[in-house]
Amino acid sequence: MSAQPPSLLIVEDDLALQKQLKWSMDRFESVTADDVASAVLQFRRHKPPVVTMDLGLPPDQDSTSEGFKLLEKLIELEPGTKVIVLTGQNDQSNALRAIRMGAYDFLAKPVDPDVLVLTVERAMRLHELQQENQRLLTQQDGEPTGRLLTRDPQMQRICRTVERVAGSDATVLLLGESGTGKEVLAQSLHDASKRKGRFVAINCAAIPEALLESELFGYERGAFTGATKTTVGKIETAHGGTLMLDEIGDLPMPLQAKLLRFLQERSIERLGGRQEIPVDVRIVGATHQDLKAKIAQGLFREDLFYRLAEIVVDIPPLRDRVGDAVLLSHAFLRRFSSEQRRPILRLADDAIRAVEGHRWPGNVRELQNVMKRASIMADGDRITADDLNLPLPAGGEAAADEPELDLRAVRERAERQAVVAALARTDGNIAKAADLLGVSRPTLYDLMSRLGVKA
């Protein structure tokens, strides 16, 4: 069995021809299917970047209906897939329909093997380039924390902290309201660490207490009724990688003691087992709860807290991140537009004001849901405040009890907020942001340099 994941799916109901195609394209790692159901199963399992498929598939090989049904399903599952349609139904209408539906190319049978190989190679290369382009677009300056979109100074400091501690084995505790991006930060920490194992996340609040221990530590065959085979737990699964314990404040007291022992000894025993199993894993805890208050109430072990809190990261809510709500809105709309295969959706001015004025109690998760709903409900290519179904801001924030009297600090803070907000509104377009601010582009570049604001 090859160590490389399949890069090609061959869908052909004629088994002799299927073997011939596989042989002629033996330079690629490939899997095969002979009908719609098996093709979808193989596609879901392996996610190949390129698919070659016949339009005449059972149970109706003489028609193209099953083939077009499969083509539609593959593009729906993964819009970036390059589907090369091979068919004896060599007419222009089928070719045009396949291309309109999202097929990469259309070749008539009998297919020249050299032409087919060249077409597959080009499709794979194009897929690689598009994936790389997408990866670069989602990163900021190529940094490991590029998956976290922000221009807020406090969040940028958090990103720098994550990058600094990533290379160590220090246990990290992420604190913040639900939906602030704790799992995104944990994944970024894992990516930046260069650990070769997997990133595994488990929500301690979502699993019943009776099952949580076996989920974390695994169990041996016969450990309890229904344990018919030895099962590896999440901690072992993350060996060599990172384990995120989300909502760790809900961990039951007996499991807190067992987790503390693991953090001290770096070895586990499965339920029903007697063997000590060493595990190399980096632990990232996360919670929205006040763990020190839980310690005072006797609901959380103080010694476990200090084991987990070697590095503590406080993540601010979305309402406190200057410009991030609009910045993230643009990013979500780009993603949902691509997923729904429609032109890029834009925020109208009233929608921007609504986003900026809303408090976002559900944080980024709420924002994502609002943008997804709006992208579905919007009639045109502009998202309005009505599409968002959010109230327009009634007015500005109340003034603080103690006003800031340092004019230089006040001016610099106001300039920073204005620049960040303008860049967020214009989705990073320098020329439009400069027009919005009423300054020239060189002046805006100077301001961004002085204030430490990135484009």
Side-chain angles (χ1 to χ4, degrees):
M1 182 177 176
S2 173
Q4 294 293 323
S7 55
L8 176 65
L9 169 61
I10 301 170
V11 185
E12 173 58 59
D13 66 304
D14 183 331
L15 298 184
L17 180 56
Q18 183 187 101
K19 289 181 180 179
Q20 182 181 341
L21 289 171
K22 189 175 176 66
W23 176 81
S24 67
M25 295 186 286
D26 62 354
R27 71 185 67 183
F28 310 114
E29 295 296 333
S30 62
V31 289
T32 59
D34 55 14
D35 59 18
V36 174
S38 62
V40 171
L41 181 64
Q42 292 282 49
F43 187 80
R44 287 183 186 274
R45 181 180 298 163
H46 300 291
K47 292 287 194 304
V50 178
V51 177
T52 68
M53 57 165 284
D54 187 11
L55 280 181
L57 295 172
D60 190 8
Q61 291 96 324
D62 295 329
S63 170
T64 59
S65 60
E66 291 296 306
F68 282 121
K69 184 191 299 182
L70 175 59
L71 174 61
E72 182 178 24
K73 184 65 175 177
L74 295 182
I75 298 300
E76 177 188 333
L77 288 172
E78 190 58 56
T81 303
K82 306 305 173 191
V83 181
I84 302 167
V85 174
L86 313 177
T87 182
Q89 311 281 343
N90 185 22
D91 64 87
Q92 188 178 18
S93 61
N94 281 331
L96 292 175
R97 182 182 173 189
I99 298 300
R100 279 197 303 268
M101 290 176 65
Y104 169 73
D105 208 341
F106 186 102
L107 299 177
K109 293 179 181 178
V111 179
D112 184 324
D114 292 335
V115 173
L116 178 58
V117 168
L118 180 62
T119 305
V120 170
E121 285 179 340
R122 286 178 173 172
M124 287 185 178
R125 180 57 181 156
L126 178 60
H127 185 273
E128 288 175 7
L129 290 172
Q130 290 176 337
Q131 291 296 105
E132 178 67 9
N133 184 50
Q134 186 62 37
R135 185 186 68 80
L136 293 173
L137 285 174
T138 58
Q139 289 188 349
Q140 295 175 341
D141 302 331
E143 298 165 352
T145 50
R147 67 174 68 239
L148 188 77
L149 291 175
T150 183
R151 286 199 183 95
D152 179 69
Q154 188 176 355
M155 285 301 294
Q156 288 179 346
R157 284 195 295 271
I158 288 173
C159 291
R160 303 294 85 76
T161 298
V162 167
E163 290 168 8
R164 282 196 296 271
V165 304
S168 71
D169 288 325
T171 301
V172 178
L173 183 60
L174 303 175
L175 304 177
E177 296 179 7
S178 294
T180 50
K182 294 188 287 293
E183 186 165 347
V184 173
L185 269 177
Q187 178 74 63
S188 297
L189 182 70
H190 172 73
D191 294 343
S193 72
K194 310 302 181 187
R195 295 180 68 89
K196 298 185 182 301
R198 293 173 54 189
F199 173 80
V200 178
I202 182 170
N203 189 320
C204 300
I207 300 173
E209 182 176 342
L211 300 177
L212 187 54
E213 183 176 6
S214 60
E215 280 289 315
L216 281 172
F217 293 91
Y219 53 86
E220 298 287 348
R221 179 181 179 184
F224 49 83
T225 303
T228 57
K229 63 178 181 178
T230 297
T231 300
V232 172
K234 296 293 187 183
I235 294 176
E236 276 187 87
T237 302
H239 176 68
T242 302
L243 175 66
M244 178 188 181
L245 298 173
D246 200 5
E247 299 303 346
I248 199 167
D250 291 303
L251 199 65
M253 289 295 282
L255 275 185
Q256 291 181 30
K258 194 164 183 178
L259 178 61
L260 176 63
R261 183 177 181 277
F262 164 68
L263 291 174
Q264 292 170 335
E265 304 295 333
R266 293 292 167 173
S267 63
I268 63 166
E269 285 183 13
R270 299 185 189 128
L271 270 69
R274 300 186 180 278
Q275 180 185 1
E276 291 279 344
I277 304 171
V279 181
D280 169 27
V281 63
R282 203 236 193 94
I283 300 293
V284 178
T287 183
H288 71 282
Q289 301 185 54
D290 184 342
L291 292 184
K292 291 188 176 179
K294 296 201 73 169
I295 291 170
Q297 297 165 11
L299 299 175
F300 200 86
R301 295 180 62 114
E302 187 173 19
D303 48 3
L304 176 59
F305 173 79
Y306 287 113
R307 277 284 179 180
L308 292 168
E310 292 177 347
I311 303 291
V312 178
V313 178
D314 283 293
I315 306 173
L318 182 58
R319 59 184 169 274
D320 293 339
R321 305 182 200 173
V322 179
D324 275 10
V326 177
L327 177 70
L328 289 166
S329 297
H330 289 309
F332 286 140
L333 288 177
R334 282 195 298 270
R335 185 210 299 178
F336 297 139
S337 299
S338 175
E339 290 176 356
Q340 297 166 28
R341 302 193 296 279
R342 61 183 296 175
I344 298 295
L345 293 164
R346 305 290 181 186
L347 290 172
D349 289 343
D350 63 342
I352 289 176
R353 290 195 297 272
V355 169
E356 291 176 332
H358 189 57
R359 297 289 292 169
W360 299 110
N363 292 292
V364 180
R365 189 177 294 120
E366 179 192 1
L367 175 66
Q368 181 176 356
N369 289 341
V370 167
M371 290 303 151
K372 185 169 187 177
R373 183 179 65 244
S375 70
I376 294 171
M377 300 304 294
D379 291 327
D381 60 356
R382 304 283 286 182
I383 300 291
T384 67
D386 289 338
D387 296 320
L388 299 178
N389 197 27
L390 294 174
L392 286 171
E397 294 293 320
D401 292 337
E402 288 292 333
E404 174 66 69
L405 298 179
D406 186 331
L407 288 178
R408 181 178 296 176
V410 170
R411 183 169 58 249
E412 183 172 308
R413 184 165 61 250
E415 287 178 338
R416 172 187 287 277
Q417 289 179 347
V419 169
V420 168
L423 288 168
R425 282 196 180 197
T426 60
D427 199 15
N429 186 303
I430 298 294
K432 290 182 179 178
D435 288 342
L436 195 61
L437 293 166
V439 298
S440 65
R441 277 184 291 175
T443 299
L444 178 54
Y445 278 119
D446 289 342
L447 278 170
M448 291 167 62
S449 176
R450 178 166 60 82
L451 298 171
V453 176
K454 293 184 178 181

